[in-house]
Amino acid sequence: MKAVFQDYKDSAAYISEKIGGVKPDIAIILGSGLGGYADEIEDPVIIPYRDIPHFPISTVSYQKGELVFGKLAGKNVLAMNGRFHYYEGWEMWQTAYPVGVFKLLGVDTMIITNAAGGMGYNDGRTMRPGDLVCVTDQIKLAPMSPLRGANIEEFGARFFDMQSVFDKDLRALAHEVAAAQGFELLDGVYAYMAGPQYETPAEIRALKLLGANLVGMSTVAENIFAAQLGIRVLCISCVTNMAAGITGAAITEQEVLDVANEVAAKFKKLVSTVIEKL
Ligand code: HPA
């Protein structure tokens, strides 16, 4: 059964009590290999998902299942260390559940990250593993939506706009910070595939033709819910591998994690400076 408003309220009340009633300024959702970020948070309050009423529990072995609340670059942040994926067996609404809880805690800005396969651009520009990409839009061909089913009116309209979820000002700030740190933050469109298998070369050719530059198995549900809730989103992908068929090399989970780990320091610096300047 899809959660009801009271479930979100119960989760938020539990978290709020653990963090002394402080309002988090920013929520951060961390992708594969990028979870080490939570270590940077000062005076952390760690809240295991299993203790939070109605919260799903992450099953990806290398992802932890906890919220980390504390100070980062002078701001109160609430980070998800470990997230929920449809391929694990969760329903789409469950993968986005924490975003509703964040809203009730007073969060108005969300930074969401992921590891993604890079496809490059239809004008011939390429991407490389290790590149960081600011997501400008998303494509979800899979039919399920986190908001299918009874609408929770307290959270927003049944039908809502998706054109401004990737906040322009946050994107501009991320580009400015990356340039000051000496690297080019690319822009790209993220296409969701349900996984857990990586894509076929034909799927990647199709997605690229449709205008996607990145492919991954997460993030879009959280972004959809954030749009309904009026939470502004900064979404950054780390290209961990070239998507299927681009180089012909087999894609492995190990490669995805290794590249994410290599880029983690650059990535953390970008995100924490963006947070500082917010
Ligand atoms: N495809 C889907 N998800 C991914 C990939 C990919 O190539 N790389 C990292 N996550």
Side-chain angles (χ1 to χ4, degrees), residues 108-110 135-138 160-171 223-235:
D108 58 18
T109 303
M110 178 169 92
V135 173
T136 57
D137 209 340
Q138 70 185 30
F160 56 92
D161 192 72
M162 281 291 294
Q163 294 177 89
S164 53
V165 52
F166 302 100
D167 186 85
K168 275 207 179 69
D169 294 341
L170 291 178
R171 278 159 44 196
N223 291 343
I224 290 169
F225 199 6
Q228 188 193 35
L229 295 164
I231 294 178
R232 56 187 195 147
V233 173
L234 175 64
C235 180

Side-chain angles (χ1 to χ4, degrees), residues 190-211:
Y190 179 96
Y192 170 77
M193 292 293 269
Q197 71 286 357
Y198 294 117
E199 297 70 32
T200 63
E203 285 167 340
I204 293 300
R205 282 195 303 276
L207 291 173
K208 192 170 177 205
L209 207 61
L210 294 177

Side-chain angles (χ1 to χ4, degrees), residues 19 41-45 68-72 75-79:
I19 65 179
I41 294 172
E42 295 159 39
D43 302 326
V45 178
V68 185
F69 174 79
K71 283 260 184 232
L72 186 72
K75 303 280 189 332
N76 292 317
V77 303
L78 184 62

Side-chain angles (χ1 to χ4, degrees), residues 230-262:
I231 294 178
R232 56 187 195 147
V233 173
L234 175 64
C235 180
I236 311 244
S237 292
C238 169
V239 177
T240 51
N241 57 281
M242 295 318 293
I246 306 251
T247 66
I251 301 164
T252 65
E253 185 185 22
Q254 195 55 50
E255 167 192 22
V256 168
L257 293 178
D258 287 348
V259 173
N261 283 324
E262 276 163 35

Side-chain angles (χ1 to χ4, degrees), residues 27 39 45 72 79 89 91 96-97 99 138 147 149 186 199 278:
D39 303 346
V45 178
L72 186 72
E91 297 302 331
Y97 181 86
V99 184
Q138 70 185 30
L147 298 172
L186 302 174
E199 297 70 32
L278 271 176

